[in-house]
Amino acid sequence: MCMRPPEKGNLKTGFKKGDFLFPARICGWKSWGQVYQSIDAFRPIIREIFRRHSLAYEEPKHLTPGTNAVFQVGKQIVKIYAPAESGLVPTWAEAAGMKLAEAAGIPTAGIICCGELQDRYTFPYLVMNAVEGMEAGDWRPKATVSEKEAFALEVRRLLERFRSCVRNDAEAERAQQAGVPCVFYENAVGNRRWEAFSSSLREEVERNAENALKEKSVFVHGDLTGENVLLLPKREGTTATGRLFVLDFGDCQLAPFYYEWPPLVWELFRWDSVMLKSCFKEYSEEEFLTLLTKAVLLHDFGADMLKDTCRWAGIRPVSIGNAEEVRFLLQRRLRTEGDV
């Protein structure tokens, strides 16, 4: 199993200069967005990856769009990361995060191989096993109260496993050396997603990030949404919803434990009161809201989630002046039943 890319120099495709597999030009994020879901554009790249690793090739199929080019090829998932020319900086966080999660007993897709393919651009890639299951986001609207409670308790146990991956400073250092980043501060300060909000709230975002640097960091997935949590078929003779599989470790990092919460609340649970009470049952409402406010101000996509709540409340993001007003808005949402 390759957890790090091979040494450069062994990655050439063997083609002459100008004879490229990838036909499109990438110059900035917009150009990447126009091509990253194109099977025609990526078919030659995928063929070369599968040839290199002696994997059986089949015609690629589309999967749920994300940030990178992701396709299903037979019983494998191939993920081709956006090259540097797209404006993103490729990292090996996902492979390192999956290895760390697997060591803690967290069910993941399992890495088959990874590396880089140097063509017109340098494409880092990861090939994983395909997992057959139902996306939690598709399952949730049809679930009964008892099924929701059981599911939320499984998610709670999953969070405990994530927190057990890194238990002290020495383990955190080893995780970083393996490729798991610790970038929550950098991602929060100067995050352009907060530009729709008031300058006073942006100042609080920075102070919140500075305070978070003083807290203990644990391993977090960072994107536990309804698309990234799969439910396998229910086990016979049990009341559990089925084994949970976790996908897409592209946003994993070391961060305070509550960094995990915003995607759970907004995307996985969709503010469902049954699920929230089951998963976070040890917290009073006051404690939960305090931590959730810190979490949404820290999370890389917290501004987008808060914008969604502003739309729900019928207010403009720029009208929110400080963290206390954020907390009040989240309290309103928490006390409102139903998915919006």
Side-chain angles (χ1 to χ4, degrees), residues 77-275:
I77 303 297
V78 58
K79 186 170 190 175
I80 302 170
Y81 294 89
E85 289 79 4
S86 70
L88 294 183
V89 179
T91 73
W92 287 98
E94 184 158 20
M98 287 179 69
K99 182 180 179 182
L100 193 61
E102 288 170 357
I106 297 170
T108 73
I111 300 172
I112 297 173
C113 59
C114 65
E116 287 179 339
L117 194 152
Q118 292 184 359
D119 188 62
R120 184 186 297 274
Y121 309 103
T122 299
F123 290 107
Y125 62 84
L126 180 65
V127 181
M128 303 164 280
N129 294 304
V131 179
E132 297 296 331
M134 178 180 285
E135 290 185 1
D138 293 334
W139 167 86
R140 181 188 48 77
K142 309 167 189 174
T144 65
V145 170
S146 60
E147 288 173 335
K148 288 179 179 180
E149 289 174 339
F151 172 77
L153 289 175
E154 287 193 63
V155 172
R156 177 187 172 89
R157 288 191 287 270
L158 189 65
L159 295 180
E160 292 170 354
R161 285 189 177 182
F162 270 105
R163 292 178 66 169
S164 72
C165 290
V166 172
R167 293 165 293 187
N168 52 53
D169 290 343
E171 290 182 356
E173 184 176 352
R174 285 196 292 272
Q176 285 187 272
Q177 290 173 348
V180 178
C182 182
V183 291
F184 63 84
Y185 177 83
E186 294 87 340
N187 288 346
V189 176
N191 189 324
R192 297 189 64 180
R193 297 183 181 94
W194 289 105
E195 290 178 357
F197 292 85
S198 66
S199 59
S200 57
L201 184 61
R202 294 199 300 271
E203 290 173 1
E204 291 218 23
V205 168
E206 184 168 346
R207 284 194 294 271
N208 183 68
E210 289 174 353
N211 291 332
L213 287 172
K214 304 170 188 176
E215 300 186 44
K216 178 184 176 182
S217 287
V218 299
F219 179 59
V220 297
H221 178 277
D223 197 24
L224 290 176
T225 67
E227 296 174 354
N228 292 334
V229 177
L230 292 186
L231 289 88
L232 271 63
K234 183 176 177 181
R235 296 184 292 270
E236 187 175 350
T238 72
T239 58
T241 55
R243 193 180 188 195
L244 301 186
F245 261 75
V246 182
L247 306 178
D248 195 348
F249 281 73
D251 292 311
C252 73
Q253 64 167 298
L254 301 178
F257 72 92
Y258 51 78
Y259 186 91
E260 202 80 271
W261 290 14
L264 279 175
V265 174
W266 269 265
E267 300 292 340
L268 183 60
F269 294 161
R270 299 286 297 178
W271 290 93
D272 184 278
S273 60
V274 172
M275 291 182 172

